[in-house]
Amino acid sequence: MSEEVKKFKVTVDGQTVEVAPGTTILEAARAIGGKSVPPAMCYYKPLETSGGRCRTCLVEVSKGSDADPRPMPKLVASCRTTVMDGMEIKNLQSEKTQEARKAVTEFLLVNHPLDCPVCDQAGECHLQDLGYEHGLERTRTEFERRTFEPEDIGPYIKLHMNRCILCARCVIAANQLTEKREHGILFRGDHAEISTYLNKALDNDFIGNVIDVCPVGALTDRTARFASRVWFTKPMDAHCSCDKCSGKAVLWMKGDEIIRVTTRQNQYGESEEWICNSCRFEKKELSYWTIEGPRHIDRHSVISLNHYQKPQDEPVLLDNFQAKQLSEKDEAEANEQI
């Protein structure tokens, strides 16, 4: 019989959880859930070697372990740091963490155009969420933003390099989902950019998934470009018969019209299953799909707020006739008591 692996006890913002050795701090925080989970712009669990680039998931380790209780001298990237038994982490409870996250957000927005009013990613953009939570009212930079010339990478995917934060998710996804490498990060430093080899179009059967892994609006769907705001559409779980992928997807509909098709994602915006280009770009008619029902959006966004449900603690408003009846009833009871 194999010996049972001892689990490590980890505490995040005062909440303790037991995880297997080798688990990262970010995954341990996700096991707890709630607001103690650090944000992540580059880490993507289904993609190997992702993470360690954006630094939005920085946390403070106030206790290294039971064996060595000394705190770590600097903030660490939770997506790349593995836990130790007895480790204590501060995320929301750490002022240093919040200040660092605010500074990282400011750095990410240094060259970002902030064109949310025209960006198709608005409403489901992770950088937009960080900007509202940690952003400054005005920029402190005086130089011009970094800009790039438009580049055509095919009929289905629109590349807007000015919005890119170089998280490398799309490059890692393409390396793992396609047989040959067609695009990557060119140059270094402030000149680094996502581009294809000699302006080659991205035409692999699964290359459309780079749209879903992009946390900002750098890669968007050409077939749904400027068609509708995401909060005006209704996400519906659906499936179809496909010989390339599972055929399980989310249809973003406006009435009976399919605006766009995406993968099914969890509350952290990570795809559960990849879909092919045929399901994503070509099957825009309801006859191809079997509707399963509305998609519940777990991630906090304007989409998840579109639930037409009455809050339980909402006060009940009465009309004038009901209010008059209640007031007469109260007055009669008061007279009886006198």
Side-chain angles (χ1 to χ4, degrees):
M1 295 179 63
S2 60
E3 297 182 0
E4 184 179 355
V5 179
K6 180 185 176 182
K7 292 189 175 182
F8 290 166
K9 287 187 177 181
V10 184
T11 303
V12 182
D13 287 342
Q15 303 176 79
T16 303
V17 66
E18 291 187 356
V19 296
T23 304
T24 61
I25 295 176
L26 179 58
E27 288 300 325
R30 288 183 175 183
I32 296 174
K35 295 184 178 181
S36 294
V37 181
M41 298 286 292
C42 62
Y43 176 76
Y44 206 83
K45 187 176 181 179
L47 300 177
E48 300 176 0
T49 71
S50 65
R53 291 175 177 269
C54 69
R55 288 299 189 265
T56 59
C57 68
L58 290 174
V59 294
E60 178 185 355
V61 179
S62 57
K63 178 183 176 182
S65 64
D66 287 337
D68 185 1
R70 292 177 299 175
M72 290 189 177
K74 296 181 180 179
L75 302 180
V76 299
S78 61
C79 66
R80 285 297 182 94
T81 307
T82 55
V83 300
M84 299 295 290
D85 193 17
M87 179 178 283
E88 295 181 2
I89 299 104
K90 291 183 179 180
N91 180 33
L92 290 177
Q93 297 178 351
S94 172
E95 293 184 5
K96 291 193 297 183
T97 298
Q98 299 305 315
E99 290 178 2
R101 194 163 294 153
K102 184 176 181 179
V104 170
T105 303
E106 184 178 8
F107 275 121
L108 292 176
L109 293 173
V110 163
N111 289 303
H112 201 76
L114 290 177
D115 55 350
C116 301
V118 298
C119 180
D120 280 327
Q121 192 79 1
E124 51 184 359
C125 176
H126 295 232
L127 184 58
Q128 189 180 33
D129 296 338
L130 277 177
Y132 275 108
E133 187 174 356
H134 300 284
L136 301 175
E137 294 182 359
R138 62 186 67 181
T139 180
R140 295 187 291 177
T141 58
E142 299 178 355
F143 50 83
E144 294 183 2
R145 298 181 187 273
R146 180 187 62 181
T147 57
F148 297 90
E149 293 296 326
E151 184 176 351
D152 187 4
I153 61 173
Y156 293 132
I157 304 173
K158 173 64 178 178
L159 172 63
H160 199 304
M161 188 56 214
N162 294 338
R163 301 172 184 160
C164 181
I165 61 172
L166 294 174
C167 69
R169 280 184 181 178
C170 61
V171 178
I172 299 174
N175 287 344
Q176 296 183 21
L177 295 177
T178 62
E179 297 179 355
K180 56 183 179 179
R181 182 171 179 172
E182 296 177 337
H183 80 295
I185 301 178
L186 306 183
F187 312 116
R188 295 181 178 181
D190 194 48
H191 299 284
E193 63 175 301
I194 299 291
S195 184
T196 60
Y197 179 67
L198 296 178
N199 296 333
K200 186 178 181 180
L202 301 181
D203 56 359
N204 188 275
D205 284 340
F206 285 83
I207 198 63
N209 291 284
V210 299
I211 298 174
D212 291 339
V213 303
C214 182
V216 293
L219 294 169
T220 53
D221 187 345
R222 276 185 180 272
T223 63
R225 189 166 169 80
F226 305 140
S228 174
R229 284 299 191 183
V230 65
W231 53 84
F232 292 139
T233 60
K234 293 183 179 180
M236 306 291 289
D237 281 339
H239 64 271
C240 68
S241 58
C242 181
D243 55 356
K244 297 180 182 178
C245 65
S246 65
K248 297 179 181 179
V250 177
L251 310 182
W252 298 82
M253 303 180 63
K254 197 172 184 180
D256 293 333
E257 180 185 3
I258 300 176
I259 301 297
R260 62 174 183 148
V261 181
T262 65
T263 58
R264 300 184 182 185
Q265 299 178 346
N266 60 18
Q267 59 181 324
Y268 304 112
E270 297 173 348
S271 299
E272 299 173 357
E273 295 184 47
W274 310 110
I275 60 175
C276 64
N277 286 2
S278 299
C279 293
R280 182 184 299 272
F281 301 119
E282 299 173 5
K283 297 181 179 180
K284 292 294 185 72
E285 299 292 334
L286 280 176
S287 56
Y288 290 110
W289 300 93
T290 300
I291 304 296
E292 300 174 9
R295 177 71 175 177
H296 178 67
I297 305 298
D298 293 324
R299 190 173 77 86
H300 176 69
S301 67
V302 293
I303 317 167
S304 62
L305 297 179
N306 283 346
H307 299 306
Y308 299 97
Q309 299 174 354
K310 192 174 184 179
Q312 295 180 356
D313 56 348
E314 182 179 351
V316 179
L317 300 179
L318 304 176
D319 57 26
N320 292 334
F321 178 73
Q322 290 176 320
K324 183 178 179 180
Q325 283 185 326
L326 287 177
S327 62
E328 292 177 351
K329 182 179 179 182
D330 293 340
E331 184 177 357
E333 292 177 354
N335 293 333
E336 291 178 359
Q337 293 178 0
I338 295 175

